[in-house]
Amino acid sequence: MMPEYKIYLGADHRGFQKKEELFDLIKDCHENVIVEDLGAETLDPDDDFNDPAIAVAKAVLANEHSFGVLVCGSAHGVCMQANRFKGVRAIHATTPESAQRGREHDYANVLCLSAEEDGLDVDQMEQIVKAFCHSRQNPDERYARRVKRLDEDVKD
């Protein structure tokens, strides 16, 4: 049986509409999955990507059995902001395969998606989210070693 886990969603104004649509697609995807929308709650053209990225990163760190999904125009800003938190491993994925590799090899726990008009449609996003959440971390020592180094303090 699949263990219960949470998916925390967040988006800025450029990702707001796709986040809303994605929430509707995944909110009932499995009986053991709880999807929580951490904002933005309304479309605000003057908001910043930082706030939803911070909220999702903090929620993921507070709940071991969770994933984050962030949507903004390019996915770059939310990815950079989320990765500022030690223990968050945010990736920008554009295919189910890249999302799966990010989970398996890099133990990613936050998925960042681009909402650009020439980017992904919401059905593609759904497939990427499902691939991300259904993938398991590869337990090989080399992957665990690499991921451990991500949280080390870097010195000049």
Side-chain angles (χ1 to χ4, degrees):
M1 182 171 171
M2 183 181 201
E4 183 176 284
Y5 65 92
K6 276 192 156 183
I7 300 173
Y8 297 105
L9 285 177
D12 69 354
H13 61 280
R14 290 179 62 203
F16 179 80
Q17 188 58 45
K18 285 192 176 169
K19 175 196 57 104
E20 296 291 299
E21 294 172 37
L22 186 60
F23 180 84
D24 288 339
L25 287 174
I26 66 173
K27 69 180 177 183
D28 298 318
C29 66
H30 195 279
E31 65 185 14
N32 293 332
V33 176
I34 299 166
V35 181
E36 189 173 335
D37 186 342
L38 298 183
E41 294 179 16
T42 60
L43 179 60
D44 177 0
D46 292 326
D47 70 2
D48 296 317
F49 63 79
N50 309 81
D51 296 327
I54 291 167
V56 167
K58 286 181 176 181
V60 167
L61 288 174
N63 184 348
E64 176 184 355
H65 301 289
S66 68
F67 300 103
V69 177
L70 291 163
V71 187
C72 78
S74 67
H76 298 159
V78 290
C79 196
M80 288 188 285
Q81 181 65 66
N83 278 320
R84 305 278 299 178
F85 290 83
K86 188 174 188 173
V88 169
R89 293 172 302 281
I91 61 165
H92 173 203
T94 57
T95 65
E97 296 78 20
S98 65
Q100 180 180 350
R101 279 191 307 277
R103 282 282 303 139
E104 291 174 353
H105 297 184
D106 304 315
Y107 298 10
N109 52 10
V110 175
L111 174 65
C112 302
L113 300 168
S114 170
E116 303 235 327
E117 290 180 26
D118 60 346
L120 303 168
D121 64 39
V122 73
D123 292 324
Q124 291 169 309
M125 288 181 170
E126 177 189 19
Q127 295 309 310
I128 294 169
V129 169
K130 286 180 177 179
F132 184 78
C133 294
H134 294 162
S135 299
R136 301 285 180 256
Q137 299 171 346
N138 186 319
D140 287 355
E141 186 273 332
R142 67 182 175 148
Y143 298 120
R145 180 185 69 240
R146 293 171 184 168
V147 170
K148 183 179 178 188
R149 291 189 64 200
L150 289 172
D151 287 333
E152 291 176 0
D153 290 329
V154 178
K155 300 191 186 266
D156 293 331

